[in-house]
Amino acid sequence: MAKHDALFKRIFSAPEHAAGELRTMLPGSLVAQLDLDSLEVVEGSFVSKELRLRHTDLLFRVPFREPRHGQRYVYVYVLLEHQSRADPDMPFRILEYVVRIWAKLRADEPRRGTLPLVLPLVVHHGARAWSAPTSVHAMVEGLAEYPELRRFVPNLDLLIDDLAVASNAELMDRPLAPVARVASWLLRDGRDVRAILAHLEFWAALLTLVAEQHADDFEALLRYILLAGGEQSLEDVRRAILIHVPTAEGPLASAGEQLIQQGREQGLQQGLQQGLQQGSLAALRATLRNLLRARFGSLDAALDARVDAAAGPELEQMLVRVLTAASPAEVLGDG
């Protein structure tokens, strides 16, 4: 899920793109009263640690245009649902997160005697349309039989941006900048690269515009497509993109090289962790040799002898240095 998280945060934590998403999803009467050009990102996550692989969150603060009693804000809490199926507990989870936001704001402003507006927005990019409850009351037992009790039970209705059912034309018509419109499409189709490639022709002109005007974001979008490739080869995906976006050749090469390097670094990190977990000097030396070969090629006799002689803290320091060193000499501490 890391690829969804990275793309969502990169694009929609930018105030311009976040404002476009809010213009898309909030009621028009509210949008007219908000100064979305002054939108701010509020730092920090309110998702619990055990759920961070399933959800990514962003919190925004937007001032009202004409405050009646001093400056007032509305907070919009946006959560990206990573799961392929809609979370049936989402209304309850969001209620928990909204309470955490209120508690944090009250702690930051001890003299505050009121609670600010916090609007919950869930961006869903699962394989099928959202089918889970959209309010806390829908989860509470007995309210259907005893509606007179509803006023005693806390409630919260979710705004759902259901990308799963949004058509290409609907996404293209959103009041978003080109980069954010392309990102919305990729999030919708990102679980299956075949879906992305099937819609490339429709999005080709906008992708080309992003390539011309936002090179860094364009490369990030390409990395997302390549990561979505799964079992399909990078070369097949690259060729399909170039048919519709010929200007992508250079950025594709750069994006591919970055992914290969990231994979290599992850492999090195895993090798280091395995060696340290095994613990014995022989295992640590074997791990160091493997990492040295992966980074610098074959070992000469002198380097091999130094690895054999290393022990204890010195060996562990070499294992740490091998991940970032520019040469074998730096690994040995001679550089």
Side-chain angles (χ1 to χ4, degrees):
M1 301 307 174
K3 66 178 186 291
H4 307 312
D5 177 277
L7 181 67
F8 179 71
K9 283 192 170 178
R10 178 189 179 96
I11 303 302
F12 290 102
S13 61
E16 173 194 7
H17 304 321
E21 174 68 11
L22 300 192
R23 287 189 180 96
T24 300
M25 294 305 302
L26 297 184
S29 57
L30 176 59
V31 169
Q33 297 180 58
L34 296 178
D35 182 6
L36 285 167
D37 292 334
S38 299
L39 175 147
E40 302 172 277
V41 178
V42 179
E43 296 298 326
S45 173
F46 295 88
V47 173
S48 56
K49 290 181 180 179
E50 64 272 16
L51 293 176
R52 283 182 187 162
L53 289 177
R54 296 164 61 179
H55 306 133
T56 300
D57 62 341
L58 292 168
L59 179 64
F60 305 106
R61 185 175 83 159
V62 188
F64 285 92
R65 291 186 183 279
E66 298 179 4
R68 298 174 184 174
H69 306 287
Q71 183 62 71
R72 291 193 306 162
Y73 298 88
V74 61
Y75 290 79
V76 183
Y77 182 63
V78 181
L79 187 139
L80 178 70
E81 164 74 289
H82 288 325
Q83 298 177 103
S84 58
R85 295 182 180 178
D87 184 350
D89 288 334
M90 185 61 77
F92 178 65
R93 296 197 199 287
I94 293 285
L95 180 60
E96 287 185 298
Y97 302 150
V98 169
V99 171
R100 289 182 194 175
I101 292 167
W102 277 334
K104 176 68 165 57
L105 295 174
R106 292 288 291 267
D108 292 344
E109 304 174 47
R111 296 187 178 183
R112 174 187 276 277
T114 60
L115 298 173
L117 286 167
V118 180
L119 303 181
L121 168 59
V122 175
V123 180
H124 173 243
H125 66 128
R128 297 178 181 82
W130 184 273
S131 57
T134 60
S135 73
V136 174
H137 275 186
M139 298 179 64
V140 177
E141 298 173 358
L143 288 186
E145 293 84 357
Y146 305 100
E148 65 274 16
L149 299 180
R150 297 175 74 86
R151 66 192 183 99
F152 302 112
V153 179
N155 191 30
L156 178 147
D157 292 320
L158 303 181
L159 278 166
I160 306 289
D161 184 0
D162 200 353
L163 296 178
V165 296
S167 68
N168 284 335
E170 288 168 342
L171 293 179
M172 184 65 80
D173 286 342
R174 289 187 168 198
L176 296 169
V179 169
R181 273 182 279 164
V182 171
S184 297
W185 156 52
L186 293 180
L187 285 169
R188 183 195 69 186
D189 290 346
R191 296 181 183 279
D192 185 352
V193 73
R194 292 171 297 183
I196 292 176
L197 299 182
H199 296 119
L200 262 175
E201 185 175 3
F202 180 91
W203 292 95
L206 200 62
L207 268 173
T208 301
L209 180 64
V210 172
E212 294 170 351
Q213 298 182 355
H214 306 281
D216 289 345
D217 286 333
F218 181 61
E219 193 168 304
L221 296 170
L222 292 177
R223 280 199 301 274
Y224 181 86
I225 296 174
L226 295 176
L227 281 168
E231 296 181 0
Q232 194 146 351
S233 74
L234 291 181
E235 183 57 27
D236 288 344
V237 175
R238 188 187 75 85
R239 281 198 300 265
I241 293 171
L242 291 177
I243 290 172
H244 299 291
V245 190
T247 57
E249 186 159 13
L252 271 171
S254 177
E257 288 171 3
Q258 286 190 27
L259 291 179
I260 291 169
Q261 179 61 26
Q262 288 172 9
R264 182 181 296 119
E265 289 174 357
Q266 288 171 2
L268 293 175
Q269 289 281 5
Q270 290 170 0
L272 172 58
Q273 290 170 2
Q274 289 170 2
L276 290 173
Q277 287 168 1
Q278 289 175 10
S280 72
L281 291 179
L284 292 174
R285 290 193 186 102
T287 298
L288 179 56
R289 285 188 172 91
N290 289 335
L291 296 176
L292 283 166
R293 291 190 189 100
R295 293 217 58 197
F296 307 112
S298 60
L299 281 63
D300 61 32
L303 181 57
D304 196 51
R306 286 288 299 273
V307 172
D308 258 341
E314 181 188 16
L315 185 55
E316 291 187 8
Q317 288 169 9
M318 288 183 182
L319 282 161
V320 172
R321 286 196 295 263
V322 74
L323 300 176
T324 57
S327 68
E330 286 188 18
V331 177
L332 301 176
D334 299 336

